[in-house]
Amino acid sequence: TLIEGKVLIEKETGVNSVAETIELSPNQKATFNKESRHLVLEKIKLENQATWVKGSLVFEDQLFSEIIRDLERWYGVTITVKDEASLRCRFNTRIENETLEDVLRLFSSSGDVKWQILKDNHVLIEGSLCDYQNKNE
C-alpha cells in the first residue's frame, strides 16, 4: 500500500523471461497472488489501509482469513482456525492499541468460539465465528 510517491514493483518470471512490472501510485495497493503468480493492483481507501502507521488496524467487510494475516504480522503470532468456514466470515472493525487477548475476545463474541494462546506464539481458534453458508460450494 502506497501513501505517497511512486514505486515500481518488478517480479521476475523466470531465467529468460521478461519481468512483470507495475507502477504503484498513492491510494493503490499491490498484492502478489500465489495461485496465479501475478501482481494485482487495486485502488484503495487510504485512510483505512494506512491506519497501521498510526497504531490501528481497520477492517471493512474483510474475510477473516485476510484479517488473520494482518493480526499475525501485527502481534507476531501464528493463528490456526479449526473451522474452515470461519475463514470466509466477513467483519467490520477497528483495532486501536488493543492487546492480542482483547482482539481475540472481540472476535470470539461474534459466535461460539474458544481461543487459546499456546507456546511459541501460536494461537488456536476453535468453534464457529459466524453462520456462514455458501450454497455454491
Side-chain angles (χ1 to χ4, degrees):
T1 301
L2 189 63
I3 297 171
E4 61 184 40
K6 287 196 181 229
V7 174
L8 187 63
I9 300 172
E10 186 173 288
K11 179 187 79 73
E12 292 183 18
T13 56
V15 178
N16 293 321
S17 302
V18 176
E20 177 182 1
T21 61
I22 60 170
E23 184 176 275
L24 192 62
S25 298
N27 300 321
Q28 291 182 325
K29 173 173 117 175
T31 307
F32 179 72
N33 184 313
K34 289 180 185 177
E35 292 175 11
S36 69
R37 308 215 27 92
H38 289 284
L39 292 167
V40 178
L41 185 66
E42 58 187 295
K43 204 162 182 64
I44 50 96
K45 290 182 183 178
L46 189 59
E47 64 272 7
N48 292 341
Q49 293 289 318
T51 55
W52 59 270
V53 174
K54 298 175 185 173
S56 63
L57 297 171
V58 175
F59 303 106
E60 287 186 359
D61 194 35
Q62 277 191 269
L63 293 170
F64 193 58
S65 60
E66 296 169 351
I67 293 171
I68 285 172
R69 195 174 54 234
D70 288 345
L71 293 176
E72 287 177 328
R73 287 185 203 132
W74 191 257
Y75 292 103
V77 296
T78 301
I79 299 174
T80 301
V81 179
K82 287 280 197 175
D83 177 41
E84 287 189 30
S86 291
L87 297 173
R88 295 185 298 271
C89 298
R90 292 187 173 273
F91 291 94
N92 295 300
T93 191
R94 179 182 201 100
I95 298 169
E96 292 189 45
N97 301 316
E98 275 90 21
T99 65
L100 176 60
E101 291 85 356
D102 290 339
V103 173
L104 292 170
R105 275 193 285 279
L106 169 72
F107 285 108
S108 66
S109 69
S110 71
D112 182 24
V113 175
K114 294 179 185 170
W115 54 269
Q116 301 175 55
I117 299 177
L118 307 170
K119 63 180 180 175
D120 300 326
N121 293 325
H122 186 229
V123 176
L124 177 64
I125 299 175
E126 298 178 286
S128 179
L129 281 167
C130 63
D131 292 328
Y132 181 86
Q133 293 180 355
N134 188 340
K135 296 176 183 167
N136 295 328
E137 290 188 53

